[in-house]
Amino acid sequence: MMRLSILGIALSSNSYYCASLSVIPLIPTSSSSTSSLSFSKKFTPSASGKRNLVLRGQSGGFESELKPGDLMESEKEFPEFNRNLYPSIEPYSSGFLKVSDIHTIYWEQSGNPNGHPVVFLHGGPGGGTAPSNRKFFDPDFYRIILFDQRGAGKSTPHACLVENTTWDLISDIEKLREHLEIPEWQVFGGSWGSTLALAYSQLHPDKVTGMVLRGIFLLRKKEIDWFYEGGAASIFPDAWEPFRDLIPENERGSFVDAYGKRLNSDDQEVQYAAARAWTMWEMMTAHLFPNNDNIKKGEDDKFSLAFARIENHYFVNRGFFPSDGFLLDNIDKIRHIKTTIVQGRYDVCCPMMSAWDLHKAWPEADLKVSYSRCRAFC
């Protein structure tokens, strides 16, 4: 089986996160007929004094030294390759970090304790992490840090909206970095995770060695309106109708506000009903072909409540950003950071327009467009 990676990060069409990689012509080195493909890694110094990662690929007796930029030619797709994730691994350490008088976040580390640190920012917001998230990273090379954002996953209190803003999460990321005694790290995030990655890096650019952003979401009004106010319904009308029908016709001027009212109801059963409908709508549209494991999350009341309440809370408040185009307006702060943008062209939840807008504002970042069958889910 073949696994392709960006800087030791696997990207698989069998996962929630879709990507494609260009295949670099390999230089023949021997007459060997082996068909395996492997990557080794080394660092080379850059003019700025920072280390640049170089991959050396070998396949079928051919080898080529690949620099990160060589892998990122946009709009090239090779569907014949099977993009597998790295093997399942277990954390070598985990714990809980109290980040405020109210909130405590769960964190874990896996991979190589002496490896290059990378922090995984999950989506939603409210989605939490999963063991499968570790499989994106080469465990021999990376020190892999996962954590559940406020109110999500194993973090407590569950589904809590108090002191739960983008700026609180950014503060938590810094507290976790300091707690783990990491001077700087790579940032990896998709969907809402890409939003948070951009906001974090713009506030702390000196702590970020590079970024991989998948399924871009900039939390602008037009993106929220597309998905929650009827745009995506034109592609998934069957999934849209149950989401729509929970709300009376006289409240359909804003589904985000109408759901917010129910997700914050004093009646817990009203909360759960709204949470299931909200979550199911997203899970049904997260893949071009239905993913039953994903859809089952919409039936899980505990997951749905955190996912829907926190997500809606952030969307009602427009991500707590001071302006609609805040992330694009502040690209100059991170323009120097080596970044790869991976976007599924047929992503319904995080449509291509957002990645394209980011690419136009930030042409220095490498944009990679995938035509894979699934989307870059949060």
Side-chain angles (χ1 to χ4, degrees):
M1 304 288 277
M2 183 172 289
R3 177 174 61 228
L4 300 181
S5 62
I6 296 176
L7 306 187
I9 298 172
L11 298 160
S12 171
S13 61
N14 295 323
S15 70
Y16 297 145
Y17 314 96
C18 301
S20 61
L21 288 180
S22 303
V23 177
I24 307 301
L26 300 174
I27 303 169
T29 58
S30 74
S31 59
S32 169
S33 62
T34 178
S35 62
S36 64
L37 173 65
S38 63
F39 287 112
S40 61
K41 314 167 189 74
K42 71 177 183 179
F43 282 106
T44 60
S46 67
S48 66
K50 286 200 173 186
R51 300 183 301 169
N52 288 329
L53 185 61
V54 175
L55 305 183
R56 179 172 293 278
Q58 292 185 334
S59 178
F62 294 77
E63 74 172 31
S64 176
E65 186 168 274
L66 313 178
K67 296 180 180 179
D70 297 333
L71 293 172
M72 310 305 168
E73 294 179 31
S74 181
E75 299 288 344
K76 290 188 178 180
E77 172 71 359
F78 292 84
E80 66 272 25
F81 287 113
N82 185 358
R83 302 165 185 83
N84 297 311
L85 299 178
Y86 288 94
S88 297
I89 54 173
E90 294 299 319
Y92 63 78
S93 71
S94 63
F96 290 87
L97 178 65
K98 190 169 181 61
V99 291
S100 77
D101 290 340
I102 297 173
H103 290 274
T104 300
I105 62 170
Y106 168 79
W107 60 266
E108 64 175 52
Q109 298 187 92
S110 57
N112 182 352
N114 298 312
H116 185 71
V118 58
V119 61
F120 176 91
L121 303 182
H122 70 69
T129 59
S132 60
N133 300 147
R134 306 168 196 146
K135 298 169 67 175
F136 285 103
F137 309 97
D138 182 341
D140 294 327
F141 180 74
Y142 279 104
R143 177 182 175 184
I144 306 160
I145 297 98
L146 273 60
F147 76 98
D148 291 331
Q149 296 159 28
R150 294 190 180 199
K154 297 177 183 178
S155 294
T156 59
H158 183 71
C160 179
L161 306 183
V162 179
E163 294 182 8
N164 196 337
T165 73
T166 304
W167 311 111
D168 291 318
L169 301 187
I170 290 173
S171 175
D172 294 349
I173 296 171
E174 275 297 279
K175 288 175 182 176
L176 180 59
R177 184 188 60 78
E178 293 170 356
H179 176 72
L180 298 176
E181 299 181 341
I182 297 172
E184 56 184 10
W185 50 12
Q186 184 173 328
V187 178
F188 182 104
S191 192
W192 158 255
S194 74
T195 319
L196 185 58
L198 288 167
Y200 169 74
S201 64
Q202 288 175 3
L203 198 60
H204 299 283
D206 58 321
K207 307 305 180 186
V208 179
T209 60
M211 288 192 286
V212 175
L213 307 176
R214 314 163 288 99
I216 302 304
F217 180 48
L218 302 175
L219 223 159
R220 296 171 296 175
K221 184 178 185 299
K222 68 178 182 179
E223 295 166 81
I224 294 172
D225 286 350
W226 157 259
F227 191 65
Y228 291 105
E229 303 299 342
S234 63
I235 301 173
F236 287 94
D238 49 342
W240 170 257
E241 289 187 2
F243 175 82
R244 179 199 64 194
D245 291 349
L246 186 78
I247 305 301
E249 289 190 13
N250 64 346
E251 292 186 57
R252 292 179 186 175
S254 172
F255 283 96
V256 171
D257 290 342
Y259 268 91
K261 176 181 175 181
R262 288 155 179 79
L263 290 167
N264 291 282
S265 170
D266 293 334
D267 186 332
Q268 191 171 57
E269 288 307 312
V270 172
Q271 285 190 30
Y272 280 133
R276 286 191 294 268
W278 177 282
T279 304
M280 188 65 75
W281 162 238
E282 184 157 344
M283 299 303 140
M284 290 287 289
T285 56
H287 294 258
L288 185 59
F289 298 119
N291 181 301
N292 290 330
D293 289 339
N294 216 35
I295 292 171
K296 286 178 182 177
K297 292 182 178 180
E299 302 168 355
D300 181 334
D301 282 347
K302 182 177 181 181
F303 174 86
S304 292
L305 190 65
F307 183 80
R309 272 174 57 83
I310 298 172
E311 197 170 66
N312 177 271
H313 170 66
Y314 275 71
F315 297 169
V316 165
N317 289 286
R318 296 291 187 264
F320 302 94
F321 296 129
S323 64
D324 196 51
F326 179 79
L327 295 175
L328 293 178
D329 293 341
N330 285 276
I331 287 298
D332 281 346
K333 295 178 180 178
I334 58 173
R335 196 172 296 281
H336 63 285
I337 297 175
K338 179 65 180 179
T339 298
T340 297
I341 301 166
V342 182
Q343 177 66 39
R345 182 172 291 281
Y346 305 120
D347 188 333
V348 173
C349 301
C350 298
M352 173 74 184
M353 64 178 176
S354 300
W356 188 248
D357 289 345
L358 181 60
H359 169 65
K360 289 191 294 183
W362 194 8
E364 296 85 355
D366 293 308
L367 171 64
K368 189 65 190 175
V369 179
S370 168
Y371 292 86
S372 300
R373 295 181 299 175
C374 54
R375 64 160 298 242
F377 175 62
C378 51

